[in-house]
Amino acid sequence: QVQLVESGGGLVQPGGSLRLSCAASGSIFSIYAWGWYRQAPGKERELVATITSGGSTNYADSVKGRFTISRDNAKNTVYLQMNTLKPGDTAVYYCHADGPYYGGVYHDYWGQGTQVTVSS
């Protein structure tokens, strides 16, 4: 199994920056892609950014140019650097890992979520 532990959330002013971290443990060698999702009150969870084991990245249009997903393999940690934050970025942010396929399904893993609040 894979365990994901998130940190870095908090309160930040509009225009500020924040870096979220997702530390992974367990069978991380089986993970082929990582992602950050977010969910605001009353809204569906949405994909923010992804990074594959090969380093390819993708971003939601709403965060392109402002957010950067990266990973440090030595630390088994995935990051989400968030710059020029807007009130609309306020949400619970979740780390996600795509795991192996077995038993007829793909297995994936979620962090517990960390609150990001952008407000004056």
Side-chain angles (χ1 to χ4, degrees), residues 8-18 20 38 41 66-67 82-93 114-120:
L11 175 65
V12 65
Q13 294 184 356
S17 297
L18 208 60
L20 306 183
R38 68 186 183 187
R66 299 188 298 119
F67 289 11
M82 304 184 293
N83 298 325
T84 319
L85 283 161
K86 305 174 181 179
D89 296 320
T90 296
V92 177
Y93 284 71
T114 184
Q115 177 70 48
V116 172
T117 302
V118 184
S119 176
S120 300

Side-chain angles (χ1 to χ4, degrees), residues 1-116:
Q1 296 294 321
V2 173
Q3 295 80 44
L4 306 177
V5 179
E6 296 159 284
S7 62
L11 175 65
V12 65
Q13 294 184 356
S17 297
L18 208 60
R19 188 175 77 163
L20 306 183
S21 299
C22 175
S25 61
S27 301
I28 57 176
F29 54 85
S30 66
I31 302 301
Y32 69 87
W34 303 85
W36 286 96
Y37 291 73
R38 68 186 183 187
Q39 187 168 24
K43 295 185 178 180
E44 296 293 323
R45 187 173 299 186
E46 65 173 340
L47 180 63
V48 176
T50 61
I51 185 168
T52 69
S53 59
S56 298
T57 60
N58 283 285
Y59 299 92
D61 288 342
S62 60
V63 306
K64 285 181 179 178
R66 299 188 298 119
F67 289 11
T68 303
I69 187 171
S70 62
R71 70 182 191 276
D72 186 334
N73 291 333
K75 297 181 179 179
N76 298 323
T77 301
V78 179
Y79 304 96
L80 184 67
Q81 178 66 47
M82 304 184 293
N83 298 325
T84 319
L85 283 161
K86 305 174 181 179
D89 296 320
T90 296
V92 177
Y93 284 71
Y94 298 89
C95 183
H96 176 261
D98 286 317
Y101 176 83
Y102 67 90
V105 298
Y106 281 97
H107 289 71
D108 61 354
Y109 309 92
W110 292 92
Q112 79 285 356
T114 184
Q115 177 70 48
V116 172

